[in-house]
């Protein structure tokens, strides 16, 4: 049976800079790594996007890998020059990029719960649909460049309990190129918002943060300790704040996981 195509509004406005310089490689190691080496060799305009159909060494957060079927999902990296963000506030970029993907996915799935799971995973009904890997280049205590790598599961079929894709949810086959352009608009809008009104980005992030304000069970993997608490905020350095009976505890990446 031929899959139905998802029909999107074709009249969305073009972007000012995100995706204006567009590099497509049928295959590469990792779009983040390749964009970083291109940046080191030549001057690239802000908003340059590198897209691929297949990564041989896709990277995830904290040294993990990102695997994605060929020609099936979105895998891209965007180059940004967020000079207006202080190094101490760099997690703001992560919030803005997660919101950009959240905007795209929630528009496509208007009747489904879409959340950001700290730090920047996108979940649909509790299952991961997108991972984001942000790599900032720092120089003289400033952010010289930011490479924002985004992997969104679109047409791959998932049976497992932890991951999902648009097609797994709706049964519809999506046009990758078209969704990529929609994503460029979402990224640009959130990036410009970050420049004008960072407080609004922080508010929007907490509004859709998975588990925010809800009593939940957590686990500390290194000690195998479980505890109860409520996510109550994010530090300026991007660490997760959890209110417990003993006070507010603060965790970095991979130091804690939300069980339920
Ligand atoms: C994670 O959830 O651990 C982050 C995954 C990020 C994957 C994307 S795919 C495009 C870009 N290139 C990479 O090598 N990684 C990111």
């Amino acid at each position: 049976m031929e899959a139905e195509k998802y029909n999107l509004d074709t009249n969305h406005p073009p972007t000012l800079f995100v995706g204006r310089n567009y590099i497509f490689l049928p295959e590469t190691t990792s779009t983040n790594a390749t964009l970083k080496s291109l940046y080191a060799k030549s001057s690239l305009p802000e908003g340059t996007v590198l897209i691929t159909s297949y990564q041989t060494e896709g990277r995830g957060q904290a040294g993990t890998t990102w695997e994605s079927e060929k020609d099936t999902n979105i895998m891209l990296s965007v180059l940004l020059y967020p000079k207006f963000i202080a190094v101490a506030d760099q997690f703001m970029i992560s919030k803005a990029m997660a919101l950009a993907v959240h905007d795209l996915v929630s528009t496509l799935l208007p009747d489904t719960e879409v959340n950001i799971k700290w730090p920047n995973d996108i979940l649909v009904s509790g299952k991961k649909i997108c991972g984001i890997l942000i790599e900032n280049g720092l120089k003289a205590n400033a952010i010289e460049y930011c490479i924002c790598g985004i992997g969104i599961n679109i047409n791959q079929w998932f049976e497992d309990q932890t991951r999902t894709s648009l097609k797994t949810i709706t049964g519809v086959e999506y046009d990758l190129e078209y969704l990529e352009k929609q994503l460029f608009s979402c990224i640009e809008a959130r990036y410009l918002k970050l420049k004008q009104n960072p407080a609004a980005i922080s508010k929007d992030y907490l509004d859709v943060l998975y588990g925010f304000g809800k009593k939940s069970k957590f686990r500390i993997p290194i000690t195998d300790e479980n505890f109860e608490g409520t996510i109550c905020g994010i530090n300026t350095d991007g660490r997760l704040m959890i209110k417990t009976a003993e006070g507010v505890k603060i965790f970095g990446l991979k130091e804690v996981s939300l069980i339920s």
Side-chain angles (χ1 to χ4, degrees):
M1 189 183 80
E2 190 165 314
E4 185 194 342
K5 287 246 175 192
Y6 191 90
N7 210 358
L8 282 158
D9 169 22
T10 49
N11 295 319
H12 73 99
T15 52
L16 295 170
F17 58 98
V18 174
R20 286 291 175 126
N21 188 32
Y22 176 99
I23 304 160
F24 171 73
L25 297 173
E27 179 176 317
T28 192
T29 50
S30 146
T31 55
N32 271 33
T34 309
L35 188 54
K36 191 174 173 185
S37 69
L38 288 177
Y39 170 81
K41 281 186 220 138
S42 58
S43 70
L44 294 173
E46 180 165 49
T48 294
V49 170
L50 178 71
I51 292 203
T52 193
S53 295
Y54 186 63
Q55 296 186 129
T56 53
E57 292 166 38
R59 295 184 193 170
Q61 278 174 15
T64 57
T65 55
W66 181 260
E67 275 157 33
S68 186
E69 271 176 23
K70 196 170 195 272
D71 294 324
T72 311
N73 300 314
I74 291 180
M75 283 167 281
L76 60 81
S77 298
V78 187
L79 179 66
L80 298 167
Y81 299 131
K83 309 251 185 266
F84 56 93
I85 297 284
V87 172
D89 297 331
Q90 55 189 297
F91 189 69
M92 291 301 298
I93 306 165
S94 189
K95 287 183 188 174
M97 295 300 108
L99 283 167
V101 180
H102 183 276
D103 291 342
L104 176 77
V105 175
S106 54
T107 304
L108 294 166
L109 303 171
D111 304 320
T112 315
E113 195 181 349
V114 184
N115 293 105
I116 296 173
K117 186 174 181 192
W118 175 81
N120 53 24
D121 288 349
I122 308 300
L123 304 187
V124 177
S125 306
K127 294 184 182 181
K128 181 162 170 171
I129 197 166
C130 167
I132 300 176
L133 178 64
I134 294 189
E135 297 181 282
N136 292 329
L138 308 180
K139 199 177 185 181
N141 207 28
I143 303 175
E144 193 191 16
Y145 68 86
C146 164
I147 292 176
C148 172
I150 300 175
I152 312 178
N153 300 328
I154 307 288
N155 291 322
Q156 187 169 340
W157 186 262
F158 289 96
E159 303 275 2
D160 64 70
Q161 289 306 304
T162 55
R163 294 174 303 164
T164 192
S165 69
L166 287 180
K167 187 175 172 177
T168 307
I169 297 156
T170 63
V172 167
E173 184 84 18
Y174 292 78
D175 180 336
L176 286 183
E177 259 181 59
Y178 198 80
L179 289 187
E180 283 155 7
K181 293 201 177 75
Q182 295 272 322
L183 179 60
F184 298 167
S185 296
C186 295
I187 291 171
E188 187 166 290
R190 283 296 181 174
Y191 187 65
L192 294 175
K193 188 84 178 174
L194 175 64
K195 223 177 214 177
Q196 293 152 4
N197 190 353
I201 291 290
S202 290
K203 182 192 174 298
D204 291 353
Y205 179 87
L206 287 184
D207 280 349
V208 295
L209 184 66
Y210 190 71
F212 180 68
K214 281 190 207 130
K215 201 165 198 181
S216 312
K217 286 201 181 87
F218 298 88
R219 186 170 159 268
I220 301 177
I222 199 156
T223 56
D224 250 349
E225 182 196 335
N226 288 356
F227 68 95
E228 264 191 5
T230 306
I231 296 175
C232 60
I234 307 289
N235 252 357
T236 44
D237 62 4
R239 290 192 293 161
L240 188 68
M241 299 164 71
I242 304 175
K243 195 174 169 193
T244 71
E246 295 89 51
V248 175
K249 296 184 178 176
I250 294 174
F251 297 93
L253 196 62
K254 306 276 175 195
E255 288 174 358
V256 72
S257 57
L258 197 161
I259 306 169
S260 59

